[in-house]
Amino acid sequence: SLRLRGFNYAAPAVYIVTLCLHQKRCVLGRVRDGNLRHTVAGRMVRQWWCRIPERYPHVRLQSFTVMPNHMHAVLRWLEPHACGGEPVSERATLGDVIGWFKAGTTNDYIRGVKQRGWPRFDRRFWQRGYYEHILRDEDAIDRAEHYVRMNPAMWRVDAYNPAGR
C-alpha cells in the first residue's frame, strides 16, 4: 500500500491526489499550446468530480484538473463541526471517495462506449490505486494548487504525456 501507515484518512486533512487512466490512454481531452480541451468523456469525469461534495459533505474540492489521461486534485476534509458534527469514525475516507468516483466514472464511460461510440478500454478504465500526498501546511497547499493549475501548460514535458517523453 502507498498509504501512510496509521494515518486516519477520514480525519481533517488536505491531500493532493493523482489518478491515472489504465494504460495512460489519452481519451479525456487534448492539450494544444497549453490550452486544455476536454472530450465529452473528460467533461463527464469533471462532472463526477464536482459531485463529490454532494455525496460527501465533509469533503471540499480545493482545485483540480482533468488532463488527457490523468487528473490531479487538492481535496480538504473538513472539521466535523463544519459539516453537521458527525463523528470522524462515520466519515468517508480518502479511499472511499476515490473508489466512489472511479466506480461512477467507469460505469458512465462504459455507457458512453455502448451508446456513443467512445473508445473502448482494456479491462479497466482507471489504473489501479492512486497517488496521494498529505499536505501539512499552507505553503504545501499553495504549491500543490499551483502545480494542479499549471499542469495543462506543462503538458509538453509531462511524464504522463506519451508524446512528451
Side-chain angles (χ1 to χ4, degrees):
S1 173
L2 298 173
R3 308 292 83 82
L4 181 62
R5 187 183 314 263
F7 186 80
N8 181 351
Y9 284 90
V14 181
Y15 309 98
I16 182 170
V17 295
T18 299
L19 294 85
C20 299
L21 291 183
H22 182 63
Q23 300 174 333
K24 296 187 179 72
R25 294 178 56 235
C26 294
V27 298
L28 302 179
R30 296 183 350 190
V31 179
R32 284 252 166 94
D33 301 321
N35 295 311
L36 178 60
R37 291 247 164 155
H38 290 118
T39 62
V40 176
R43 289 191 297 274
M44 175 272 297
V45 166
R46 282 183 55 85
Q47 289 169 347
W48 270 94
W49 194 258
C50 290
R51 290 175 55 198
I52 288 172
E54 296 169 22
R55 175 77 168 89
Y56 302 102
H58 63 280
V59 178
R60 289 294 175 264
L61 309 178
Q62 301 252 152
S63 60
F64 71 95
T65 188
V66 176
M67 297 296 291
N69 60 6
H70 69 284
M71 69 175 291
H72 299 290
V74 176
L75 297 147
R76 180 181 296 267
W77 262 237
L78 299 175
E79 295 287 340
H81 61 79
C83 49
E86 82 282 359
V88 169
S89 62
E90 296 177 15
R91 293 161 37 126
T93 65
L94 178 61
D96 296 332
V97 171
I98 299 298
W100 174 84
F101 169 77
K102 283 183 168 185
T105 53
T106 298
N107 289 331
D108 260 7
Y109 193 89
I110 290 168
R111 279 190 285 281
V113 168
K114 291 177 179 177
Q115 298 170 3
R116 299 181 198 112
W118 293 358
R120 296 185 175 281
F121 59 90
D122 182 25
R123 292 186 314 265
R124 59 179 78 219
F125 182 58
W126 292 101
Q127 179 178 308
R128 188 168 173 239
Y130 57 93
Y131 304 98
E132 57 83 7
H133 181 74
I134 303 161
L135 303 172
R136 300 189 186 269
D137 59 43
E138 289 303 317
D139 287 340
I141 294 168
D142 290 345
R143 285 191 306 275
E145 289 186 326
H146 178 76
Y147 175 78
V148 168
R149 282 191 307 274
M150 295 305 296
N151 216 248
M154 301 303 294
W155 177 245
R156 189 174 46 79
V157 295
D158 194 305
Y160 297 111
N161 180 351
R165 290 183 222 149

